[in-house]
């Protein structure tokens, strides 16, 4: 996985999302004519999990996960229920369900369960790209420090 810097929708089954941390989300490239936008998740993508002795070492890189032409967005995130301090939230997995509309338009319904703190992100979007934007770092933890999240030039 460390020899690539860009993945697309057709690579979905090659990618692992468990324990990927989300530092933020934003909307970009609004399309007012159809009410969609690019949904960009600022993440620490785990490129590799290596079992060493009784622990794991992770290769982690700052990345942008962009869902294109996103609509029907629903967000749930509850830091209060578990008395969590503010920190990046963590993906459990990403699921997708193919959709075909009566017009022939094809898309996916995406579901992203969040397991720390508890939550869920759901929406529809036909495609995504995952772009590494930093330098991969080996870590004992699955989340980069602020200093390690500097973007590559």
């Amino acid at each position: 996985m460390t020899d690539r810097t860009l993945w697309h929708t057709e690579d979905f089954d090659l990618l692992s999302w468990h324990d990927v941390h989300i530092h933020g989300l934003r909307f970009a490239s609004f399309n007012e004519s159809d009410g969609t936008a690019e949904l960009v998740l600022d993440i620490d993508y785990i490129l590799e999990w290596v079992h060493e002795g009784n622990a794991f070492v992770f290769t982690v890189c700052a990345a942008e996960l962009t869902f294109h032409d996103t609509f029907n967005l629903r967000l749930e995130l509850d830091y209060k229920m578990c008395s969590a301090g503010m920190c990046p939230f963590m993906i459990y997995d990403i699921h997708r369900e193919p959709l075909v509309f009566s017009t022939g338009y094809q898309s996916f319904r995406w579901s992203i369960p969040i397991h720390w703190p508890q939550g869920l992100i759901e929406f529809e979007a036909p495609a995504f790209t995952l772009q590494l934007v930093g330098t991969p770092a080996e870590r004992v933890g699955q989340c980069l420090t602020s200093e390690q999240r500097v973007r590559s030039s």
Side-chain angles (χ1 to χ4, degrees):
M1 291 288 290
T2 57
D3 59 333
R4 292 180 69 174
T5 61
L6 181 65
W7 294 265
H8 300 276
T9 309
E10 55 273 5
D11 301 315
F12 179 75
D13 292 329
L14 302 174
L15 300 166
S16 175
W17 306 103
H18 186 70
D19 290 348
V20 167
H21 286 73
I22 300 175
H23 291 265
L25 58 90
R26 66 183 168 86
F27 303 111
S29 302
F30 293 98
N31 184 337
E32 293 182 23
S33 67
D34 65 9
T36 65
E38 305 293 282
L39 172 62
V40 182
L41 303 179
D42 178 12
I43 65 174
D44 289 342
Y45 188 73
I46 302 171
L47 293 161
E48 188 173 32
W49 301 51
V50 177
H51 191 248
E52 291 186 2
N54 294 330
F56 281 92
V57 173
F58 305 93
T59 302
V60 183
C61 189
E64 286 188 347
L65 176 58
T66 303
F67 291 92
H68 307 287
D69 300 321
T70 301
F71 58 102
N72 288 340
L73 175 65
R74 185 174 139 219
L75 298 169
E76 295 177 17
L77 195 56
D78 192 350
Y79 280 85
K80 185 177 179 181
M81 179 65 94
C82 60
S83 298
M86 296 308 293
C87 60
F89 48 102
M90 194 177 344
I91 294 173
Y92 178 74
D93 200 3
I94 297 180
H95 307 281
R96 69 178 181 176
E97 173 189 346
L99 300 172
V100 179
F101 295 87
S102 59
T103 61
Y105 179 75
Q106 296 182 4
S107 190
F108 292 99
R109 179 172 296 120
W110 300 89
S111 176
I112 305 176
I114 306 300
H115 69 102
W116 182 255
Q118 193 169 12
L120 180 67
I121 304 171
E122 292 180 317
F123 54 91
E124 294 174 24
F128 76 87
T129 53
L130 171 63
Q131 174 73 58
L132 301 184
V133 296
T135 302
E138 285 192 3
R139 304 258 313 136
V140 175
Q142 299 159 316
C143 185
L144 296 171
T145 65
S146 297
E147 293 79 23
Q148 292 171 314
R149 298 200 87 253
V150 174
R151 291 176 175 254
S152 300
S153 15

